[in-house]
Amino acid sequence: MPEQLVFAMEVILNGLMAGVLYALVALGFVLIYKASGIFNYAQGVMALFAAMTLVGIMNGQVPFAHLINATFGTHIHYFGWNVPALFAIILTMGVMVLLAWCVQRFVMRHLVGQEPIILFMATIGLAYFLEGVADLMWGSEIKKLDVGLPQGINLWLDETTFNIFDYGFFIDNLDIVATIIAALLVAALVAFSQYTKQGRAMRAVADDHQAALSVGISLNFIWVMVWSVAGFVALVAGIMWGTKSGVQFSLSLIALKALPVLMLGGFTSIPGAIVGGLIIGVGEKLFEFAIGPLVGGATENWFAYVLALIFLVFRPQGLFGEKIIERV
């Protein structure tokens, strides 16, 4: 019995850590949806693009090397130097800000006032476009990402083993670090939204575009800022997931795991994204632990979506979302 209790505690703790990473991805969706009413399908691809750009910069890889070599008959792939991780992260953030400006300048600016479905379709097109650009820039092979984060289970607290009832359980160092970084980022985003001039302007735009314009708030600036912040969130998520499982094109699928988180927490709530991520993370781990052996396992692949479906039936706006009432 004590051994099962300790194992259950290990499952819950690992679920909480996975949930924080899910919430981190969901935050990018929430930020853009709150400020512009756009469900950004490309958020997962932004995490992929950021991670691939970071690896390329760190390795000194020449962007579009395959295209350049095929066009001019050259054989240039690398500049011949490596870039320190911190400096590479700063440069990658600059690329994400440039991407945010391009999205606003060449895509979203021309779709102001369109139906939400049109905006959603635009983000689908943006997602596939970014995938293609990432492939052309950095290649499609799986890349290893190492920015110096501790990995493995042999660094913390006696090999990260917590002895309870003479039993032990293990926690991956990367999960611990990712949880701490994600928690700090979430706290910073909440503080930014609540206590800064730009954060208040973002909330004003989210409440009413026309009213925000009437008091002198620039919608273009706010939207570029929001897409930039979402790009930063995507970069952090890309670093965490890329370090954990390698930088590959399946990394963009983490956005699919964020959908149930948004359905649970609500599309307009930052605290909702956090709570929804924790519920999904712990729920899927506990369900796999308790029910998985009875149904053949692999319940983590579908549990989150079934739970989200239940919420859609009984509480469509999610736990913290705003209930929308339309008069006809």
Side-chain angles (χ1 to χ4, degrees):
M1 185 65 180
E3 185 177 5
Q4 293 179 343
L5 177 60
V6 171
F7 189 47
M9 292 174 62
E10 179 182 355
V11 169
I12 292 173
L13 192 55
N14 280 286
L16 287 171
M17 293 181 178
V20 171
L21 292 178
Y22 294 155
L24 189 60
V25 180
L27 279 174
F29 288 94
V30 171
L31 288 169
I32 292 178
Y33 191 85
K34 277 177 68 69
S36 59
I38 299 172
F39 179 78
N40 181 25
Y41 182 84
Q43 186 66 29
V45 182
M46 288 171 64
L48 167 69
F49 181 80
M52 294 185 71
T53 301
L54 177 59
V55 173
I57 293 175
M58 287 179 63
N59 294 337
Q61 187 176 348
V62 178
F64 301 104
H66 295 289
L67 183 61
I68 293 172
N69 293 334
T71 303
F72 299 102
T74 56
H75 300 280
I76 301 173
H77 294 281
Y78 296 92
F79 289 111
W81 62 76
N82 294 329
V83 179
L86 180 60
F87 188 53
I89 290 173
I90 295 173
L91 290 177
T92 304
M93 190 57 232
V95 173
M96 299 308 291
V97 171
L98 177 61
L99 173 65
W101 182 84
C102 289
V103 168
Q104 172 58 27
R105 178 67 177 81
F106 299 110
V107 181
M108 297 307 166
R109 179 181 178 183
H110 303 285
L111 298 176
V112 174
Q114 296 293 328
E115 294 293 325
I117 186 63
I118 301 297
L119 300 174
F120 174 63
M121 293 300 292
T123 65
I124 293 178
L126 176 63
Y128 286 104
F129 174 77
L130 278 180
E131 276 198 12
V133 170
D135 188 9
L136 283 175
M137 285 183 70
W138 309 114
S140 58
E141 65 275 4
I142 298 175
K143 300 172 176 62
K144 180 181 179 181
L145 176 58
D146 184 6
V147 295
L149 297 178
Q151 301 181 52
I153 55 173
N154 59 354
L155 296 178
W156 292 22
L157 297 176
D158 189 25
E159 297 190 349
T160 323
T161 305
F162 297 80
N163 293 310
I164 304 176
F165 304 120
D166 295 325
Y167 298 95
F169 61 84
F170 296 91
I171 305 171
D172 194 323
N173 288 320
L174 180 60
D175 288 339
I176 296 175
V177 174
T179 300
I180 294 172
I181 293 175
L184 292 175
L185 178 60
V186 167
L189 288 174
V190 171
F192 172 78
S193 175
Q194 296 291 332
Y195 302 113
T196 67
K197 180 180 178 181
Q198 291 78 11
R200 289 191 293 269
M202 183 184 74
R203 288 158 51 205
V205 171
D207 290 337
D208 192 318
H209 291 178
Q210 296 301 323
L213 278 172
S214 68
V215 295
I217 296 175
S218 170
L219 293 186
N220 288 332
F221 170 76
I222 293 299
W223 285 337
V224 169
M225 181 190 71
V226 169
W227 278 83
S228 298
V229 174
F232 177 67
V233 172
L235 172 59
V236 175
I239 291 174
M240 299 308 168
W241 286 98
T243 303
K244 193 179 184 70
S245 57
V247 179
Q248 50 192 314
F249 276 83
S250 61
L251 183 65
S252 63
L253 299 179
I254 60 175
L256 298 180
K257 213 46 173 294
L259 294 179
V261 173
L262 294 168
M263 294 174 188
L264 264 67
F267 281 82
T268 59
S269 173
I270 292 177
I274 302 165
V275 174
L278 296 178
I279 291 175
I280 292 294
V282 173
E284 68 179 14
K285 299 292 184 183
L286 280 178
F287 195 83
E288 177 69 27
F289 169 66
I291 308 298
L294 303 178
V295 297
T299 61
E300 290 187 34
N301 295 331
W302 53 263
F303 170 80
Y305 302 98
V306 173
L307 185 61
L309 179 61
I310 294 173
F311 266 77
L312 285 176
V313 172
F314 295 101
R315 191 175 175 83
Q317 72 272 26
L319 293 173
F320 295 88
E322 300 174 357
K323 191 171 184 179
I324 300 175
I325 300 175
E326 293 185 356
R327 293 177 173 84
V328 295

